[in-house]
Amino acid sequence: MIPKYPFKPVANLDSLAKILDITRQELDDLYYSSDSFFILHDKKQKSDGSYRDIYDVKDRLKIIHDRISNTFLKKVYYPDYLQGSLKNKDFLTNAKNHLGKKILITEDITNFFPSISKKVVFEVWCGFFKFSKEVSEYLAELITYNGKLIQGGKASSYICNLIFWSRESELAEYLSKKGLKYTRYIDDITVSANRIITSKEKTDIIRRIYSLLKSVGAKPNRKKHKIMPRNKKQTVHNLNVNRDKPSMAKNKRNKIKAAVFECESIFKDSSNSDEYLKLFNQTMGRVNHMKRIHPIAGDILQKRLKLVTPKNKF
């Protein structure tokens, strides 16, 4: 169940430069100036009122991030308990792991990306990949900003999946032997079971999860801690999972229908405006999301929306 990297470790910086298709001088230049390539792109407000910083990276370093991801991080075997930002895995596959369970426990990690220090990232390269210390130091520096992992970087989500690489597999296996299902979608942890869990077991599960987080300096968001029995509403990624299929709450579906109707209502008079283009794109994104969960209803809304495509979209 442990993640695996099937290739030989990178032993020195000359080899790393060759693998990344740059000169050793270019590699050194990027290493010593890496922080200057990061740009604060957006500040997204979270449900608790705080903000999440989203970063972009200037092209010269972004290309290297892409090569690091393609050459190393995408070549890793990620076990099924890891569900975030991986091929053929996403919020929906994660939710499907926990359908119709007798109990659901969910935990959220506070400010996950910036809580991951460069030291922890170094330990991933050195401990998991078994790269040399100098190679691990360079890679850790190249993908962190001011000594922390950033949200928005091409390598960041993959690193998030690997920071607990040895301890997490032990936890998932321990829970599996007790008939419990463990998954993690980046910073969202879910444990479910088809049987009744005692209070002692609940305490043990939560203690082990919090211990896992503490091992890398991360902290749980205790406000988002939930224990959901079968006779109450059970949600994963805001999807209802009480039954045999994930579903979106009816009020959210109704809001998406209302947004489509709004586009239809103002299309004739506003189809060339930037405001309408923005509304259309936002609504289409919401409809596409709904279609993945409710294919028939989503397809109907998508066809309606395509009839009012902005004239300045193309």
Side-chain angles (χ1 to χ4, degrees), residues 17-77:
K18 185 176 181 180
I19 290 168
L20 297 178
D21 196 26
I22 54 177
T23 66
R24 174 60 192 277
Q25 184 61 55
E26 288 174 315
L27 178 62
D28 287 340
D29 290 346
L30 286 171
Y31 171 77
Y32 287 110
S33 62
S34 63
D35 279 356
S36 66
F37 289 89
F38 292 85
I39 310 162
L40 182 60
H41 173 69
D42 193 13
K43 293 179 79 72
K44 290 189 175 181
Q45 189 169 18
K46 297 188 286 186
S47 58
D48 62 1
S50 62
Y51 286 86
R52 178 185 288 114
D53 291 341
I54 310 295
Y55 285 85
D56 198 0
V57 184
K58 294 178 184 177
D59 285 345
R60 188 181 173 200
L61 184 58
K62 183 183 284 188
I63 291 169
I64 301 304
H65 282 188
D66 196 41
R67 291 174 186 171
I68 290 171
S69 297
N70 290 329
T71 306
F72 304 127
L73 298 168
K74 290 184 181 180
K75 299 293 177 62
V76 171
Y77 159 74

Side-chain angles (χ1 to χ4, degrees), residues 66-95:
D66 196 41
R67 291 174 186 171
I68 290 171
S69 297
N70 290 329
T71 306
F72 304 127
L73 298 168
K74 290 184 181 180
K75 299 293 177 62
V76 171
Y77 159 74
Y78 296 91
D80 285 341
Y81 61 77
L82 293 172
Q83 290 285 313
S85 300
L86 298 170
K87 188 177 181 180
N88 299 323
K89 296 179 181 180
D90 62 9
F91 74 98
L92 191 53
T93 63
N94 189 43

